[in-house]
Amino acid sequence: MSGLLAASRLIDSVSRIMGKLSEYMVLFCCLISAGNAIVRYAFNYSSNGWLEIQWYLFAFVVMLGASHALRNNEHVRVDLIYGAVSDKAKIWIDIFGLIVFLIPVCIFLTWLCWPFFTLSYQQGEISGNAGGLIRWPVKLILVAGFALLSLQGVSELIKRIAALTGHLKIDMTYEKPLQ
């Protein structure tokens, strides 16, 4: 179990780094958006490239930040019974969700996105908009994001199993979002 927990810590550190990178991407996106607006209104000039880089960065934030959100237990969850059960039951619910839903779906989406990326890369796909950007980097982020989320799902599964076997104490506190 100690080897699996070491692997889990390694995956967690990668997710933490990607989460920090995502935080900076939000800042860059805001700066680019503000700069683009200033240039457009002050100088009556705009570029599709600057508009596209904003949604590229948004894709980076979402796809790279998803594993970080899962690691921090800040992901979206359907809380029908989760908040009313014991910590042990929460662990079993998490294990079921990870094995049946999250990990298989993320692996499948990684597999589906790979040809989407490779075709774009091989063709040198460029946006159809004048001044648009190359498309393969944002398609690669789809692959990377789903792969990272798969790995983080494995890390969470390791931690839940370790908690069940008494090798790890995890905080199962879940703050239900305000409605």
Side-chain angles (χ1 to χ4, degrees), residues 51 78 124:
L51 296 172
V78 180

Side-chain angles (χ1 to χ4, degrees), residues 67-80:
S67 62
H68 180 64
L70 179 62
R71 184 182 64 82
N72 287 329
N73 200 28
E74 295 176 347
H75 56 287
V76 175
R77 92 172 57 233
V78 180
D79 186 13
L80 298 175

Side-chain angles (χ1 to χ4, degrees), residues 137-179:
V138 77
K139 293 179 179 183
L140 178 60
I141 286 300
L142 291 172
V143 175
F146 287 124
L148 280 170
L149 194 53
S150 300
L151 286 174
Q152 189 59 45
V154 170
S155 174
E156 296 304 313
L157 182 60
I158 291 168
K159 289 185 273 190
R160 297 314 186 271
I161 292 170
L164 280 179
T165 59
H167 290 91
L168 183 68
K169 174 87 172 116
I170 57 176
D171 182 15
M172 293 303 296
T173 306
Y174 172 67
E175 186 177 323
K176 186 176 178 180
L178 297 174
Q179 300 285 328

Side-chain angles (χ1 to χ4, degrees), residues 45-62:
Y45 175 78
S46 185
S47 166
N48 287 327
W50 286 108
L51 296 172
E52 287 181 11
I53 196 69
Q54 291 174 54
W55 68 262
Y56 277 33
L57 287 172
F58 183 71
F60 284 35
V61 167
V62 171

Side-chain angles (χ1 to χ4, degrees), residues 113-128:
C113 289
W114 181 254
F116 184 60
F117 154 70
T118 57
L119 181 63
S120 179
Y121 181 78
Q122 290 167 350
Q123 292 178 344
E125 183 182 7
I126 297 175
S127 169

Side-chain angles (χ1 to χ4, degrees), residues 82-150:
Y82 198 83
V85 297
S86 69
D87 283 353
K88 190 171 184 177
K90 288 177 184 177
I91 291 172
W92 279 109
I93 291 169
D94 286 349
I95 289 172
F96 177 80
L98 290 165
I99 291 173
V100 173
F101 297 111
L102 184 99
I103 295 171
V105 167
C106 286
I107 290 171
F108 182 64
L109 289 171
T110 303
W111 179 74
L112 281 179
C113 289
W114 181 254
F116 184 60
F117 154 70
T118 57
L119 181 63
S120 179
Y121 181 78
Q122 290 167 350
Q123 292 178 344
E125 183 182 7
I126 297 175
S127 169
N129 297 322
L133 304 176
I134 56 174
R135 288 278 169 94
W136 68 262
V138 77
K139 293 179 179 183
L140 178 60
I141 286 300
L142 291 172
V143 175
F146 287 124
L148 280 170
L149 194 53
S150 300

